[in-house]
Amino acid sequence: MQNKIKDSLIELQNKPLQIQNKTFHSRLMLGTGKYKNLKDAQKSIYTSNTEIVTVAIRRAQKAKILGKSNLIDGLNWKKLWLLPNTAGCETSEEAIRIASLGREMAKRLGQTDNSFIKLEVISDTQYLLPDPIGTLKAAEYLIRKKFTVLPYISPDPILAKQLEEIGCSTIMPLGSPIGSGQGLQNILNLKIIIENAKIPVIIDAGIGTASEANQAMELGASGVLLNTAVAKSLHPEYMAKAMKLGVISGRIAYLAGRMNINKQAEPSSPKHDISYQ
């Protein structure tokens, strides 16, 4: 019986993450900003075993114009899937324009069928909180243009459901503000979003260490996207490995199902013998 349960858990853990018509075996996604150097970024991405790497289109375009070293040119895109993002866009119109550049970028890397876009519309310059109205407006347009839209939002269950209903391929609620390392600050809302969703829910932003990535997965999230926690750690490659293991163990713990929380203690050695079947 125990072997059957073990085999079932392994089968569930190995079940790929499905986003639209694309499957992924890793549930950890990494960003490409804030690294000290190209070498740290490359090693971290390789060590994490991630399959999805998100790149800020505006930053990549600027680096190209200035002739600076570009991480895009230093990665093997035959093994990685590009997730362009619209970071830095303050309006829906700007995000739509940048998304089109992202699709062209993917094609130039040989991913001709890649229409993924991480949609960010952020007009709040202090806390970098996403604009719900601008995000919804841009998502509607991009979906009509056959983009696979992964919107970044505050943990708002109503907005999450609206975005799912108009055709978004995942929901990406923040754990806490971008780059803050505060961990998961609104667990109740995240739980509601996960419970209500029929599409993958990826916790994005605010995760600072592996235990928080683990916690996100234990809630039932389909995956985790992070950047600063790895890029700004003392040893990015080690942190990338820790994040990989945190996501895997959190996923397995979620599938296993935690014990009930009791108000009183319960002895681990019962008074009467238990016969195992």
Side-chain angles (χ1 to χ4, degrees), residues 9 251-258:
L9 281 173
R251 173 70 175 170
I252 294 172
Y254 168 71
L255 294 173
R258 68 158 293 145

Side-chain angles (χ1 to χ4, degrees), residues 37-248:
N37 52 61
L38 183 61
K39 187 177 180 180
D40 277 354
Q42 289 171 320
K43 282 186 174 181
S44 298
I45 290 168
Y46 174 77
T47 301
S48 74
N49 282 358
T50 186
E51 293 173 87
I52 300 177
V53 174
T54 185
V55 175
I57 306 161
R58 296 181 65 155
R59 188 178 69 245
Q61 293 278 349
K62 185 177 180 180
K64 186 176 180 181
I65 292 169
L66 296 175
K68 294 183 178 180
S69 60
N70 196 330
L71 183 58
I72 289 181
D73 300 324
L75 296 175
N76 184 355
W77 293 105
K78 291 182 180 179
K79 295 183 178 180
L80 297 170
W81 188 252
L82 176 66
L83 175 58
N85 71 61
T86 62
C89 293
E90 297 184 359
T91 66
S92 57
E93 292 78 13
E94 190 179 11
I96 289 166
R97 179 176 62 82
I98 294 297
S100 298
L101 294 177
R103 183 147 66 180
E104 291 303 314
M105 181 188 296
K107 287 180 180 178
R108 288 199 299 272
L109 295 175
Q111 299 180 6
T112 55
D113 60 336
N114 187 347
S115 292
F116 278 43
I117 188 71
K118 182 190 173 193
L119 176 60
E120 298 184 27
V121 181
I122 300 174
S123 55
D124 170 22
T125 57
Q126 183 175 3
Y127 297 104
L128 301 180
L129 298 174
D131 174 359
I133 298 172
T135 301
L136 185 61
K137 181 180 177 182
E140 287 176 322
Y141 179 88
L142 291 171
I143 289 165
R144 288 199 299 269
K145 294 298 180 180
K146 308 301 181 184
F147 278 86
T148 299
V149 180
L150 293 77
Y152 170 66
I153 65 170
S154 294
D156 179 344
I158 303 302
L159 176 62
K161 201 62 185 175
Q162 289 173 331
L163 287 164
E164 177 181 337
E165 288 172 351
I166 66 170
C168 287
S169 298
T170 76
I171 300 298
M172 304 185 83
L174 59 85
S176 53
I178 295 172
S180 69
Q182 295 177 24
L184 308 184
Q185 291 295 306
N186 197 333
I187 290 177
L188 177 59
N189 277 24
L190 292 174
K191 281 183 176 180
I192 294 171
I193 291 171
I194 291 167
E195 289 171 5
N196 288 343
K198 295 179 181 177
I199 56 176
V201 176
I202 311 296
I203 306 299
D204 178 13
I207 288 175
T209 190
S211 61
E212 293 162 1
N214 180 282
Q215 183 185 22
M217 297 304 294
E218 285 190 357
L219 291 179
S222 302
V224 166
L225 191 154
L226 54 89
N227 179 197
T228 310
V230 171
K232 289 295 185 180
S233 66
L234 292 177
H235 300 286
E237 187 179 359
Y238 287 178
M239 185 60 80
K241 184 174 182 178
M243 291 297 185
K244 175 185 75 172
L245 297 175
V247 167
I248 291 171

